Amino acid sequence: MEIWAKAPMRIGLAGGATDLPSYSDTYGGSILNATISKYVHVRILSKQDNLVSFKSYDTDEFVEYKTGELPLDKMPLFCASYNLMCKKAGNIFPSIQIESFSDTPVGSGLGTSSTLCVALIASLANLFDIELPPIEIANVAYIVERDICGFSGGKQDQYASAFGGFNEITINKDGTVNVEKLHISPNFISELETHILLYFSGKSRFSSKIIDDQENKIKNFKLQTSDALHEIKKEVKLLRKSIENSDIKSFSKSIARSWESKKQTSPMVSNVDLNSIIENVINLGAWSAKVSGAGGGGFIMLVLPLNKRNLILKCLNIDEHSLQSCVFESSGVLCWRR
């Protein structure tokens, strides 16, 4: 038997970093994001050798253990997901192999690690015939990634991948999460897809360092960081109104304001190379641009008018492999058996 899962990655549109506990526990967080047709794929294979093994084709990692509760020193997301779901199944520790690969490079800024976690939890739930609604898949994935493994980050990525589509995600002060799906004109979604390109900057980044810096500044009452996050949070309602009104110009202006505020949260969010790329595309006629995820590298979202698209690509001399179209995905994580 084979079990497959496919979980979509996301692009953050507004509210990024207000889902960090150091901010949301005090002020409440608000996020608007959308899933795209880039995925993390997971396959589970049954075995009969009393061993459990994990293989990542993205990082070329492989580990193998005897069945039972696993240590977390290698491939911790895999091991922690296996341990937790086996316990949920009644302390059943089966002999299986789990493989994964993603559609984008490691360090893309599209929420890859959280999306992997969602795919792992969903596929293991399918293996054990445990029914988990999207909110519970996301909750468990958050526990695995943040609480058990101790990876830095917020709460938007797990919920985006589990639910899919355009969502406003509210993180309450008590840590609970509400997900509201936006109802958007299909025509405007198509229009957004023609105006948005994703450009891989060529630099993978380690988001944990940026997130830790932002969290430390919030905890140490650095007003510049907190004030910037307040402005970022305000953009959620403004961007939502732009989307619901099918207003591309207002949408692009909100993206630009969010990027300016985001750079104020940590000096690690941007750098000379990223600033140069974004300044160049703006000077060539792009409406706006922002680095996806925590920043520091990975994908840059470009919002372009149609009549400037080819000019910008030509002048930047962008390698075709570094450029991705933006196609939105309305579904969350999917699982099936073969």
Side-chain angles (χ1 to χ4, degrees), residues 177-241:
V177 178
N178 304 112
V179 180
E180 182 183 359
K181 189 171 288 292
L182 274 61
H183 300 288
I184 307 169
S185 161
N187 291 339
F188 187 62
I189 291 177
S190 297
E191 186 178 341
L192 282 176
E193 291 173 344
T194 66
H195 286 296
I196 295 175
L197 289 174
L198 300 174
Y199 168 54
F200 187 65
S201 65
K203 292 186 177 182
S204 297
R205 84 286 180 274
F206 297 96
S207 62
S208 60
K209 292 182 180 180
I210 300 171
I211 292 167
D212 289 344
D213 185 59
Q214 291 170 327
E215 294 241 62
N216 288 332
K217 284 179 166 56
I218 297 167
K219 291 174 182 176
N220 292 319
F221 305 103
K222 299 294 184 181
L223 290 178
Q224 178 175 318
T225 297
S226 296
D227 289 347
L229 288 170
H230 294 333
E231 292 302 314
I232 287 170
K233 184 178 174 180
K234 289 178 184 177
E235 287 298 332
V236 171
K237 296 300 183 185
L238 297 174
L239 189 68
R240 176 170 179 166
K241 183 178 179 180

Side-chain angles (χ1 to χ4, degrees), residues 54 65 69-84 144 147-151:
F54 306 128
Y65 299 101
E69 187 166 354
L70 308 178
L72 304 181
D73 56 329
K74 296 179 180 179
M75 302 185 73
L77 291 180
F78 288 79
C79 294
S81 297
Y82 176 84
N83 289 343
L84 192 151
V144 166
D147 296 342
I148 298 176
C149 295
F151 290 3

Side-chain angles (χ1 to χ4, degrees), residues 1-31:
M1 180 181 68
E2 295 183 11
I3 294 174
W4 285 80
K6 182 178 80 167
M9 301 183 206
R10 61 94 188 103
I11 54 173
L13 299 175
T18 69
D19 57 329
L20 297 178
S22 57
Y23 182 88
S24 62
D25 288 353
T26 302
Y27 305 105
S30 183
I31 301 288

Side-chain angles (χ1 to χ4, degrees), residues 90-165:
N91 289 316
I92 299 171
F93 295 88
S95 178
I96 57 174
Q97 177 168 307
I98 304 181
E99 305 167 331
S100 75
F101 67 95
S102 62
D103 292 342
T104 61
V106 175
S108 65
L110 301 178
T112 310
S113 62
S114 298
T115 304
L116 169 62
C117 225
V118 165
L120 288 169
I121 297 303
S123 58
L124 286 164
N126 189 293
L127 173 70
F128 291 122
D129 291 317
I130 299 173
E131 291 190 14
L132 291 181
I135 191 71
E136 189 61 22
I137 292 174
N139 288 340
V140 174
Y142 178 85
I143 290 170
V144 166
E145 186 177 11
R146 307 291 184 228
D147 296 342
I148 298 176
C149 295
F151 290 3
S152 301
K155 282 192 171 182
Q156 66 161 307
D157 298 345
Q158 302 87 355
Y159 296 85
S161 186
F163 281 85

